[in-house]
Amino acid sequence: MTPHRDFEYLSSLILKYLKNDITEKEQQILNEWLEESPNNKSLLESFRQTAKVEQDIDQLRSIDVNAQWERFNANIRNSQPKKLRLAKWWPRVAAVLLVASSVAFYVYQSQKKSTASDAVLAYDVNPGSERAILQLADGAVVNLGRYQKHSDHDQAQGFDVKEGTLYFTANHTKSGQTNHHALRTPRAGEYKVVLPDGTKVWLNASSYLSFPQNFDGNERRVQLKGEAYFEVAHQPSKPFIVSFNDTEVKVLGTHFNINTYGNTSKTTLLEGSVSISEGGHQTLLKPGQEALIEQGEIEVQKTEVYKSIAWKEGVFYFKEDNIKEILDQISRWYDVEIVYQGKPSQQAITGNIRRQATLNQVLDMLGTLTNAKFNLTDRTVTVNFNP
């Protein structure tokens, strides 16, 4: 079998082993692989001892993943907002995808490391993490991480940080004053913030969110650059407005993702409804739809919503993407520069991998899916498309 089929086959054996559903012949093959390296035994044991994985394997056995995604998207397209229950679907489907890809990927990695012809990579880049810079309305700057120590000044400004989440409470200012905070994530950073009204916002790498100390007046308005996922607190009398470029997205209470990285901005609706205004045009989105906005024009299309929010779930999820689209994400999350040699391939790539993987692990997987050669040196990835 080819190496690609080898690691897929071994992954299936591990899944069967975890559920005590492995034949004697399959067990013999698995034992041979376990004897090849102590790392293989440690890998299997780590999966076997993880209760979460065992629960996910139960789901994996009973669910056709591709059919589940189709069913998930169909429910989003056809359900009324009040009837849609995303919380019921996401953990179940995402768990199946993650456990399957994790087992397969680690088996593949262990095989590569055990091959004598593969040299040990001395240089690698770790993935991004929960970090951001908060600029308060009074000009003070706070560096944020997952484990943050607080000061009396923090409490006076009406915010707190717990396990990588920034919490704001209403901090009323004098009448007529409009003071704004700003939250920035660097390359290789992400952060979650709960705004004074209870709205939850997840900021992806290289993003910016400006919001007032308190949502006074008849609306709740924030400004975005980069990418963010919103779960807006429902307040019928006070619409929530996200402005970016020359576009406004207006909602009352809903779940949606906005991506403004490229020349074409994307707004993807998961639950509820949003109104999009751009260049004098106004469009209403329904769940399961995505608005592509470029040069004053709005194009609405059906979409696979998980692709837009997979980053928030800790996954790179590619479906028929080209290599440049994928490496744009890699560049931001690992804070590296991408240099191309030769003409980039237009091959459509489909796959997924955890955002917690190191850069070399991601590049190894991309190498199995494409004909490109990757070289990592001093935070620069050279991609060679020459034959």
Side-chain angles (χ1 to χ4, degrees):
M1 288 183 290
T2 65
H4 180 72
R5 289 185 64 186
D6 263 350
F7 79 79
E8 285 186 343
Y9 179 62
L10 283 168
S11 302
S12 70
L13 294 187
I14 289 180
L15 295 174
K16 290 182 178 181
Y17 172 81
L18 291 171
K19 292 309 301 173
N20 295 319
D21 190 26
I22 190 168
T23 67
E24 184 175 344
K25 183 177 180 180
E26 289 171 335
Q27 182 67 61
Q28 182 179 353
I29 296 173
L30 183 61
N31 289 341
E32 291 174 359
W33 175 73
L34 292 172
E35 293 300 322
E36 290 177 3
S37 168
N39 291 334
N40 294 348
K41 293 180 180 180
S42 299
L43 171 67
L44 182 63
E45 188 65 16
S46 68
F47 280 120
R48 191 181 68 81
Q49 291 180 347
T50 304
K52 178 65 169 64
V53 170
E54 292 176 355
Q55 294 171 4
D56 293 342
I57 296 299
D58 284 329
Q59 295 176 334
L60 184 65
R61 286 167 57 83
S62 61
I63 298 174
D64 181 325
V65 178
N66 291 328
Q68 191 78 332
W69 285 127
E70 291 301 320
R71 195 176 304 120
F72 171 61
N73 280 287
N75 272 270
I76 288 179
R77 290 191 294 267
N78 299 328
S79 299
Q80 296 297 321
K82 291 182 180 180
K83 296 181 180 179
L84 187 59
R85 294 293 182 266
L86 295 177
K88 177 181 177 182
W89 289 84
W90 284 356
R92 188 181 184 199
V93 180
V96 172
L97 181 65
L98 280 173
V99 71
S101 62
S102 295
V103 172
F105 181 68
Y106 279 120
V107 173
Y108 166 71
Q109 284 296 315
S110 65
Q111 280 193 290
K112 284 185 65 69
K113 292 177 181 177
S114 64
T115 303
S117 61
D118 287 330
V120 176
L121 295 170
Y123 181 72
D124 205 350
V125 175
N126 288 324
S129 60
E130 293 163 317
R131 55 196 182 101
I133 298 171
L134 172 64
Q135 182 170 347
L136 295 165
D138 65 359
V141 175
V142 182
N143 289 313
L144 300 174
R146 181 170 180 82
Y147 304 103
Q148 189 73 26
K149 294 183 178 179
H150 314 292
S151 65
D152 293 339
H153 180 267
D154 296 348
Q155 299 296 333
Q157 290 289 337
F159 76 89
D160 195 6
V161 180
K162 297 177 182 178
E163 297 183 352
T165 301
L166 175 64
Y167 294 87
F168 271 91
T169 56
N171 189 353
H172 292 276
T173 56
K174 294 180 180 179
S175 177
Q177 289 184 337
T178 306
N179 296 326
H180 285 74
H181 302 307
L183 184 65
R184 293 179 175 85
T185 52
R187 289 162 64 91
E190 64 179 5
Y191 222 78
K192 177 183 176 183
V193 57
V194 180
L195 301 179
D197 66 332
T199 292
K200 300 174 183 177
V201 185
W202 286 258
L203 273 185
N204 205 349
S206 241
S207 298
Y208 166 93
L209 182 73
S210 173
F211 53 96
Q213 282 182 293
N214 194 54
F215 290 114
D216 291 322
N218 298 321
E219 64 181 26
R220 297 169 287 166
R221 181 180 292 271
V222 302
Q223 186 175 23
L224 172 69
K225 295 179 182 178
E227 183 170 25
Y229 172 78
F230 294 81
E231 292 185 357
V232 177
H234 187 65
Q235 291 187 16
S237 62
K238 188 178 293 188
F240 191 95
I241 299 173
V242 184
S243 62
F244 54 94
N245 303 331
D246 295 321
T247 306
E248 286 190 352
V249 174
K250 183 176 181 181
V251 304
L252 295 177
T254 187
H255 299 181
F256 59 98
N257 192 83
I258 297 177
N259 181 326
T260 73
Y261 287 130
N263 294 327
T264 302
S265 300
K266 299 179 182 179
T267 298
T268 309
L269 182 62
L270 287 83
E271 180 178 336
S273 63
V274 300
S275 173
I276 300 176
S277 301
E278 163 71 24
H281 303 287
Q282 185 168 331
T283 301
L284 187 67
L285 278 191
K286 298 179 181 179
Q289 291 183 333
E290 181 174 74
L292 306 178
I293 307 162
E294 184 175 9
Q295 296 182 348
E297 298 295 328
I298 304 176
E299 178 185 347
V300 176
Q301 62 184 22
K302 293 181 179 180
T303 187
E304 181 177 357
V305 295
Y306 184 78
K307 182 177 178 180
S308 295
I309 59 93
W311 67 269
K312 170 186 166 289
E313 304 298 318
V315 181
F316 289 116
Y317 180 67
F318 314 123
K319 186 169 184 181
E320 299 182 353
D321 295 319
N322 65 51
I323 191 66
K324 290 197 69 174
E325 292 171 331
I326 292 173
L327 289 176
D328 282 346
Q329 297 183 49
I330 303 303
S331 174
R332 284 190 295 268
W333 185 235
Y334 293 91
D335 189 15
V336 293
E337 299 301 320
I338 308 295
V339 176
Y340 295 98
Q341 293 182 349
K343 185 178 179 180
S345 168
Q346 294 303 310
Q347 173 189 355
I349 300 171
T350 296
N352 63 85
I353 187 172
R354 301 165 306 115
R355 276 164 61 103
Q356 291 78 21
T358 69
L359 180 55
N360 275 326
Q361 290 173 331
V362 175
L363 297 180
D364 281 346
M365 177 166 277
L366 288 177
T368 69
L369 299 175
T370 69
N371 294 322
K373 303 297 181 184
F374 299 90
N375 181 60
L376 172 61
T377 306
D378 297 330
R379 303 197 80 87
T380 297
V381 176
T382 303
V383 191
N384 192 334
F385 295 99
N386 295 318

